[in-house]
Amino acid sequence: MSAPSFRDYLFQPDHPRVAKVRGLDARSYAEAAKDDPFAGPMIEGWKKLYPQPFTGVTSDGVVREGLFPLADALPGEQAPTQHMVAAAEKLLALASLEHVSRLSYPVAAHEWQSWANPEFMQHDTGLRLDELDPALRDAALAVVEASLSPEGYALARNLMRINGFLGDLVDLPLLMNEYSYNFALYGVPSETEPWGWQLFGHHVALNCLVAGSQLVVSPVFLGAEPDIIDAGPHEGVKVFKERIRWARELMAELPDQLRAEAVIFEHMEDPAMPEGRLHPGDERHLAGCFQDNRVIPYEGIPVSSMPASALALLDRIVEDSISYLPAGPRAARLREIQEHYAETWFSWIGGWEGEEAFYFRVQSPVAIVELDHHTGVFLNNDIPAPFHMHTVVRTPNGNDYGRALVKQYAAS
């Protein structure tokens, strides 16, 4: 069975979904979205969650302490702190006093929790890249580039380009373009004290905290609608293809009984799902924006029960899911995750063969990794399709935004 093409699901230009917002920019759409039948209820739900003080995602409502000690990174696992500081200082030197005041927040500011992944701007945190002159915009992106791996930065930029491609496809370039993202700094750039940055907008949200030689990039939301660019200057861009293939292969490697236990719901929109399990925007994934304190019980099967062939594929999925980290911090993060495999669970929703849409979650005391195929937002597929996906990575038990490290530094 061939994969469905996203071009079969383009709205007609006069369809109300796109026609009624045509000509709106991010700020005017932020107001219009409050009354939108799709966006409005999400905005109201998230408004109730945002004011909550940060605790951290847990499996049972109790934060497990001691998982994330503040310490020097092991040799070969250090963060690129010096390069990050240099890039941030260059940005601050280029910025006006007004820009600096809008850009900068304390390192433990509540605004960390304002990030969101939809196209509508619920919180105008920091500076909007598409409102900046190119030099200042590029300087902000240089901070991101200095903090990530080359492949991680390339993925983020390609997702931003896909956003621009989608905006052109549906004739909404003011709302969705390559630079319709917010960027903020937290704390003062330093090689010893904690500080960080945040980039967020449609299908891209990165939260980065560096404390000396330790680097935390979490929460991370990376997604795409569609998952390829098939025309224009960036033709040939494709995203998440290998991760999705490895996930299907992992399911194929599980014995029948174990696979059946991993599947918590057979259908992506399953009548057996309890009320609230299917979110209008997040659909099946649980650890997205404004879910900083969510209780997410373990489900599915323990990773320790997997055969070696499936576990090898899980390793690939996990490493690909954290490939935005530079080599040293990625090695540290992978080691941290693998050391908790005895407490790690794997769950699945939907089919796994052919081109069936699916959801999976890998969850442990130190990591949550999700991938979910979605229905259309600016494409009109009304069932989940493989060309629209959301991926999420969280650090549960209090270290999203590097908050556990910041608390320890403040107490030292």
Side-chain angles (χ1 to χ4, degrees), residues 288-305:
C289 60
F290 305 108
Q291 304 299 329
D292 294 301
N293 301 330
R294 188 163 192 166
V295 176
I296 304 176
Y298 296 120
E299 295 180 290
I301 58 173
V303 164
S304 58
S305 68

Side-chain angles (χ1 to χ4, degrees), residues 243 246-252 254 258-264 297-306 310-311 313-315 317-318 341 343-349 352 358-364 369-371:
R243 193 181 313 178
W246 292 332
R248 296 189 195 280
E249 290 175 358
L250 187 158
M251 287 293 281
L254 294 178
L258 202 58
R259 186 188 309 118
E261 293 172 7
V263 176
I264 56 177
Y298 296 120
E299 295 180 290
I301 58 173
V303 164
S304 58
S305 68
M306 289 182 175
L311 193 60
L313 287 160
L314 184 73
D315 283 339
I317 292 166
V318 168
Y341 269 1
E343 302 177 86
T344 301
W345 290 74
F346 175 80
S347 57
W348 190 275
I349 298 174
W352 56 277
F358 63 80
Y359 161 91
F360 74 76
R361 181 168 82 254
V362 181
Q363 181 178 355
S364 79
V369 175
E370 295 182 287
L371 185 146

Side-chain angles (χ1 to χ4, degrees), residues 209-283:
L209 187 287
V210 63
S213 57
Q214 286 183 272
L215 184 71
V216 176
V217 183
S218 176
V220 170
F221 184 108
L222 300 173
E225 182 191 28
D227 63 340
I228 63 171
I229 297 177
D230 65 357
H234 302 296
E235 181 178 357
V237 165
K238 300 178 181 181
V239 292
F240 304 120
K241 297 295 187 181
E242 290 185 331
R243 193 181 313 178
I244 289 168
R245 174 168 57 83
W246 292 332
R248 296 189 195 280
E249 290 175 358
L250 187 158
M251 287 293 281
E253 289 296 322
L254 294 178
D256 291 348
Q257 181 61 37
L258 202 58
R259 186 188 309 118
E261 293 172 7
V263 176
I264 56 177
F265 297 104
E266 292 185 8
H267 306 287
M268 293 290 272
E269 298 176 352
D270 201 305
M273 290 177 174
E275 184 178 355
R277 181 60 183 84
L278 194 62
H279 185 273
D282 294 336
E283 298 198 15

Side-chain angles (χ1 to χ4, degrees), residues 66-381:
L67 291 169
F68 310 104
L70 178 66
D72 291 335
L74 295 177
E77 296 184 353
Q78 297 96 334
T81 312
Q82 188 174 12
H83 296 295
M84 294 172 64
V85 170
E89 289 180 341
K90 181 178 179 181
L91 168 64
L92 291 170
L94 281 173
S96 68
L97 291 177
E98 179 188 357
H99 280 143
V100 170
S101 67
R102 290 169 50 202
L103 176 68
S104 304
Y105 299 85
V107 71
H110 188 72
E111 282 81 1
W112 272 114
Q113 297 169 235
S114 69
W115 70 271
N117 56 278
E119 77 288 349
F120 53 82
M121 185 172 62
Q122 187 160 352
H123 294 278
D124 189 16
T125 304
L127 299 175
R128 188 80 172 173
L129 295 186
D130 62 4
E131 297 175 346
L132 304 180
D133 67 70
L136 191 58
R137 179 196 70 206
D138 292 347
L141 289 173
V143 179
V144 178
E145 184 174 17
S147 310
L148 303 181
S149 66
E151 59 268 41
Y153 182 68
L155 175 59
R157 293 292 287 114
N158 278 337
L159 295 175
M160 294 166 71
R161 293 179 183 117
I162 287 175
N163 188 55
F165 176 65
L166 177 63
D168 290 340
L169 278 175
V170 297
D171 193 21
L172 297 172
L174 296 178
L175 181 59
M176 294 183 293
N177 60 72
E178 184 178 345
Y179 300 109
S180 52
Y181 296 86
N182 284 51
F183 181 84
L185 288 176
Y186 293 87
V188 178
S190 167
E191 294 188 22
T192 57
E193 298 183 10
W195 68 279
W197 56 263
Q198 175 182 68
L199 175 74
F200 71 90
H202 193 210
H203 282 146
V204 176
L206 295 159
N207 296 279
C208 176
L209 187 287
V210 63
S213 57
Q214 286 183 272
L215 184 71
V216 176
V217 183
S218 176
V220 170
F221 184 108
L222 300 173
E225 182 191 28
D227 63 340
I228 63 171
I229 297 177
D230 65 357
H234 302 296
E235 181 178 357
V237 165
K238 300 178 181 181
V239 292
F240 304 120
K241 297 295 187 181
E242 290 185 331
R243 193 181 313 178
I244 289 168
R245 174 168 57 83
W246 292 332
R248 296 189 195 280
E249 290 175 358
L250 187 158
M251 287 293 281
E253 289 296 322
L254 294 178
D256 291 348
Q257 181 61 37
L258 202 58
R259 186 188 309 118
E261 293 172 7
V263 176
I264 56 177
F265 297 104
E266 292 185 8
H267 306 287
M268 293 290 272
E269 298 176 352
D270 201 305
M273 290 177 174
E275 184 178 355
R277 181 60 183 84
L278 194 62
H279 185 273
D282 294 336
E283 298 198 15
R284 284 144 298 275
H285 73 76
L286 301 175
C289 60
F290 305 108
Q291 304 299 329
D292 294 301
N293 301 330
R294 188 163 192 166
V295 176
I296 304 176
Y298 296 120
E299 295 180 290
I301 58 173
V303 164
S304 58
S305 68
M306 289 182 175
S309 57
L311 193 60
L313 287 160
L314 184 73
D315 283 339
R316 290 186 183 181
I317 292 166
V318 168
E319 186 163 11
D320 189 58
S321 299
I322 61 170
S323 63
Y324 48 79
L325 289 167
R330 189 190 316 175
R333 181 67 164 143
L334 184 62
R335 174 173 50 77
E336 177 182 64
I337 293 171
Q338 291 174 332
E339 285 174 352
H340 287 85
Y341 269 1
E343 302 177 86
T344 301
W345 290 74
F346 175 80
S347 57
W348 190 275
I349 298 174
W352 56 277
E353 298 178 294
E355 295 297 328
E356 293 180 271
F358 63 80
Y359 161 91
F360 74 76
R361 181 168 82 254
V362 181
Q363 181 178 355
S364 79
V366 297
I368 294 176
V369 175
E370 295 182 287
L371 185 146
D372 190 22
H373 286 122
H374 276 226
T375 55
V377 176
F378 286 98
L379 299 172
N380 70 359
N381 55 296

